Amino acid sequence: QADIHPDDWFLTCHFMDDPVMPGTLMYECCAHTLRVFIQRMGWVTDKPGVCYEPVAGVKSILKCRGPVTPQTRHVVYQVEIRELGYTPEPYVVADAHMFADGQHIVMFRDISLKMTGVTRGEIESFWDKGFRYQGAGGRVTSQHPDTCPLPPDSQPDCKSRRYDREQILALAVGKPSDAFGATFRDFDKDRFLARLPGPPFLFVDRIVRTEPPAFVLKPGGWITAEYRVSPSDWYFSADRSGIMPYAILLEIALQPCGWLAAYAGSALTSPKDLRFRNLGGSGSIYKDLLPEDSVLTMKCRLTQVSSAAGMIIESFDFSVASADELIYAGETTFGFFTEAALAQQKGLTQTDDRGYRPDPHQGQPHPLADAPPFFPEPGAFCPPSIGPLAMPGRAIRMMDSIDLYDPAGGLSGLGYIQGSKKVDPAEWFFKAHFHQDPVWPGSLGIEAFMQLLKFIAIDKWPHLASRCRFSLVTGVQHTWTYRGQVIPGNKQVKVEAIVTRIEETPIPVIIANGFLGVDGLTIYEMKQFGIRLTPVS
């Protein structure tokens, strides 16, 4: 709002003998109001060269139905946000209104503003330094990381706490009390606590917002986590496809759920030591993640909790986004179980697609050759001579051989394939997943299934091997169900895929259902997972 005075410069210069506020200045004041809004929201930076300007290509409509004259006493500006996002520069589109002495005189539809020269990640990095606004005429000073990272009165819930990498690592491999305080001190030595995976399978860098209160196990309230992606991350070179492998994307989505389960105090509700296992879920992928520098934002919330017979079952919604662009979203269910209950796993008793029984003599076993990188080490790379369509490197390859492949098998006659892997207690993922509770990650079981589909694609479309790369199928909901675990004492894992759909145009697509079994017991079922071949430029 602003007071108007008869001798204001914009009245004395516009026009002679007809003083009136210029319409362009009315626009500018609305733009100023919008700028105040985004600054108050936290869109500020100390990066040199950043400027505010309209968004190119956004059509605006201005309507003026009254003047501001020397007789006007007071004007009010209002903005209503219509769209807000990052592309990757922060931008906002709004409707603006102006009132003169209570009369509505200006409507500006689709006024726009963007911050040129800065990305969302850079703005968040500014606040990550731990700054606090001191008020008018004040200065910016550092503050304790447990307090709000934005100006205190700029966000509705200042009880939200940050948890940084050190606290995340404490929950994964360190002292739980360093993650959540004295409440968890018993778990430092005397009691077992379900953990997050440890490096190199830990994909949470920080928790930046917590809506629900700590140690209260009930549905409601989102938490927001972040994970920074780098082109040098080991899984890009290990997958050899040019995109983030599905197993890593799934872990990025689900690990904040594991953190929330601990933060909600699940372990505090039982006198028994409980293990944490994923039971299944469903999701849809919306975009591949390329080996580029980016900060992913993960959100999850607890939607349902039930306890019975010493077990706790918890359901979650989750999403993964990059610069406000949705990458992956879905829902999942986890359970807390005693060690004795897990030892009595019965597997999946009823499964679809079991009407098909493959001919065990169909084809010859095909051992898969070891290829670099051999271990999940940062900066590892595969030789440039390897073409775009290739099986993964040893670091993430989850099968030793293709045991049976029938291109005309399966219930639909579109294809059947089976692979196997010997269980090696020394595998890196047992050490990383979990501390004091080694178990084969379910995500890597699904990854083994996805690699079967890659083998089919390489065999079916050899002429595209140098012209395409593997990509994940988008917009198709997939589901997974786990009813058992693979532990270091097991002997062999077998994975099978039954193709349900094949498309040749406009780009090749394979969609399949499948199963994973260990030592003769079927424990995983996967439905509607798929890959496609994307042309490379």
Side-chain angles (χ1 to χ4, degrees):
Q1 61 184 15
D3 293 330
I4 303 298
H5 309 94
D7 60 349
D8 282 332
W9 67 267
F10 51 82
L11 292 174
T12 60
C13 73
H14 183 276
F15 299 102
M16 184 177 179
D17 300 328
D18 184 19
V20 64
M21 184 178 189
T24 52
L25 191 56
M26 293 176 173
Y27 159 81
E28 191 63 33
C29 292
C30 291
H32 290 176
T33 306
L34 187 57
R35 190 185 304 186
V36 169
F37 178 90
I38 65 174
Q39 289 176 337
R40 191 68 169 178
M41 191 173 64
W43 283 7
V44 295
T45 180
D46 55 1
K47 182 181 178 182
V50 177
C51 66
Y52 296 102
E53 63 180 357
V55 179
V58 175
K59 181 180 179 180
S60 302
I61 299 174
L62 172 64
K63 294 182 178 180
C64 297
R65 294 297 183 266
V68 173
T69 68
Q71 287 72 46
T72 304
R73 309 308 300 167
H74 192 73
V75 295
V76 173
Y77 309 99
Q78 294 180 356
V79 293
E80 300 171 358
I81 307 303
R82 295 173 54 84
E83 182 180 348
L84 183 150
Y86 307 85
T87 59
E89 295 174 322
Y91 75 94
V92 61
V93 179
D95 289 344
H97 306 272
M98 181 175 174
F99 300 82
D101 293 338
Q103 183 179 3
H104 192 183
I105 62 170
V106 169
M107 190 281 287
F108 206 114
R109 184 172 179 82
D110 288 344
I111 183 174
S112 66
L113 196 67
K114 74 170 181 175
M115 293 179 68
T116 300
V118 68
T119 66
R120 174 181 180 173
E122 290 171 326
I123 290 176
E124 292 173 344
S125 294
F126 173 79
W127 289 111
D128 282 345
K129 299 172 186 176
F131 289 102
R132 179 175 57 191
Y133 179 60
Q134 296 292 348
R139 57 192 179 90
V140 174
T141 59
S142 62
Q143 66 170 1
H144 191 277
D146 284 349
T147 57
C148 294
L150 297 181
D153 55 353
S154 73
Q155 53 184 30
D157 180 14
C158 245
K159 296 179 181 179
S160 177
R161 285 192 57 179
R162 289 179 56 90
Y163 294 80
D164 292 321
R165 182 71 175 182
E166 292 76 12
Q167 294 161 298
I168 302 298
L169 282 170
L171 181 58
V173 296
K175 293 182 177 179
S177 63
D178 290 340
F180 294 125
T183 305
F184 275 68
R185 190 163 291 156
D186 287 348
F187 298 100
D188 289 349
K189 292 182 179 180
D190 301 327
R191 291 194 59 187
F192 170 89
L193 179 70
R195 304 295 192 115
L196 288 178
F201 212 58
L202 175 59
F203 305 113
V204 179
D205 288 333
R206 65 189 67 86
I207 306 296
V208 297
R209 186 169 180 80
T210 53
E211 291 180 357
F215 318 142
V216 178
L217 185 57
K218 66 178 182 179
W222 292 87
I223 64 126
T224 304
E226 290 182 342
Y227 172 65
R228 181 173 292 278
V229 177
S230 169
S232 63
D233 288 330
W234 66 268
Y235 44 80
F236 285 121
S237 55
D239 193 61
R240 302 166 80 201
S241 67
I243 65 168
M244 177 182 284
Y246 175 78
I248 307 304
L249 179 59
L250 183 60
E251 288 291 330
I252 289 171
L254 298 190
Q255 288 182 14
C257 300
W259 185 91
L260 176 54
Y263 170 83
S266 301
L268 304 176
T269 65
S270 173
K272 298 179 180 180
D273 292 342
L274 301 176
R275 269 67 178 167
F276 191 57
R277 298 291 186 264
N278 189 228
L279 298 177
S282 64
S284 296
I285 299 168
Y286 297 94
K287 185 181 178 182
D288 287 330
L289 278 170
L290 303 177
E292 300 171 343
D293 286 311
S294 61
V295 175
L296 301 182
T297 300
M298 302 90 78
K299 294 186 177 182
C300 69
R301 65 175 175 179
L302 186 59
T303 59
Q304 188 174 356
V305 179
S306 61
S307 301
M311 300 179 294
I312 308 172
I313 306 299
E314 301 177 359
S315 297
F316 301 83
D317 290 338
F318 66 81
S319 68
V320 180
S322 176
D324 269 10
E325 187 172 16
L326 186 61
I327 303 297
Y328 187 38
E331 56 83 23
T332 189
T333 299
F334 284 86
F336 283 90
F337 305 96
T338 63
E339 190 173 15
L342 290 175
Q344 299 173 2
Q345 61 184 22
K346 299 184 182 297
L348 290 162
T349 56
Q350 293 183 343
T351 57
D352 296 336
D353 293 322
R354 279 311 194 199
Y356 174 74
R357 290 292 183 267
D359 180 356
H361 305 293
Q362 180 74 29
Q364 297 294 322
H366 179 89
L368 297 175
D370 284 344
F374 300 103
F375 302 100
E377 299 171 341
F381 68 99
C382 57
S385 60
I386 296 174
L389 292 189
M391 295 300 289
R394 183 68 181 84
I396 201 172
R397 199 195 71 219
M398 298 309 298
M399 291 179 298
D400 297 330
S401 68
I402 303 299
D403 301 328
L404 192 155
Y405 174 40
D406 182 0
L411 292 175
S412 61
L414 294 176
Y416 173 90
I417 188 170
Q418 183 184 105
S420 63
K421 179 177 175 63
K422 180 182 177 181
V423 178
D424 181 358
E427 290 271 20
W428 66 266
F429 49 79
F430 280 127
K431 298 176 182 178
H433 185 277
F434 300 100
H435 180 61
Q436 300 176 335
D437 182 24
V439 61
W440 182 314
S443 59
L444 291 184
I446 299 179
E447 189 63 32
F449 167 77
M450 301 292 281
Q451 291 169 14
L452 291 176
L453 305 189
K454 290 183 177 182
F455 184 90
I456 294 175
I458 292 172
D459 177 78
K460 187 175 182 61
W461 296 294
H463 59 290
L464 299 177
S466 62
R467 306 203 310 259
C468 294
R469 64 169 174 82
F470 288 121
S471 182
L472 299 174
V473 168
T474 57
V476 176
Q477 186 180 61
H478 55 255
T479 64
W480 68 94
T481 303
Y482 302 151
R483 291 297 182 269
Q485 59 182 350
V486 181
I487 57 177
N490 289 129
K491 302 301 182 184
Q492 187 183 52
V493 168
K494 287 191 175 181
V495 188
E496 48 189 329
I498 303 98
V499 179
T500 60
R501 189 168 116 203
I502 288 183
E503 297 177 8
E504 299 279 353
T505 58
I507 60 174
V509 173
I510 300 176
I511 295 178
N513 298 336
F515 306 93
L516 181 145
V518 57
D519 297 342
L521 182 68
T522 301
I523 59 173
Y524 297 178
E525 182 174 16
M526 293 75 72
K527 292 184 178 181
Q528 290 296 95
F529 283 86
I531 61 169
R532 53 189 175 135
L533 304 191
T534 300
V536 294
S537 55

